[in-house]
Amino acid sequence: MLVNERISPGTVLEIYMKEEKGDRVGMAKKRVEVIRQYPHHILVKTENGIRMCITHAELRQYEIVTKRF
């Protein structure tokens, strides 16, 4: 999914991620920093330094991105 909004590097976002505690799996809110935006996803870094990609469709679900092509 393509979006019109630009997310600048250094922006801090709060997203929900799966977190395992023993035999239970729950959702935890995590703070991530945007490294770079690509046409269909953004590259982010967690507080621990782990890099991962989040698609624009996921950002739309989190209501971070509202506009789309």
Side-chain angles (χ1 to χ4, degrees):
M1 170 160 80
L2 298 172
V3 295
N4 286 336
E5 296 179 33
R6 296 289 167 230
I7 302 172
S8 60
T11 303
V12 176
L13 305 174
E14 291 187 356
I15 62 167
Y16 290 96
M17 297 173 62
K18 288 184 182 179
E19 187 173 272
E20 295 182 16
K21 293 182 181 176
D23 59 347
R24 297 180 63 192
V25 176
M27 298 298 281
K29 188 182 271 190
K30 300 284 184 173
R31 294 173 58 97
V32 295
E33 181 182 351
V34 176
I35 298 173
R36 186 166 176 195
Q37 184 175 14
Y38 294 97
H40 294 282
H41 66 276
I42 60 171
L43 180 64
V44 297
K45 179 175 65 172
T46 63
E47 295 171 342
N48 298 334
I50 299 171
R51 292 182 179 193
M52 57 189 243
C53 292
I54 302 174
T55 64
H56 289 308
E58 290 174 320
L59 292 176
R60 182 139 165 91
Q61 284 180 330
Y62 298 138
E63 296 180 358
I64 295 171
V65 175
T66 55
K67 298 177 187 174
R68 59 182 263 190
F69 272 145

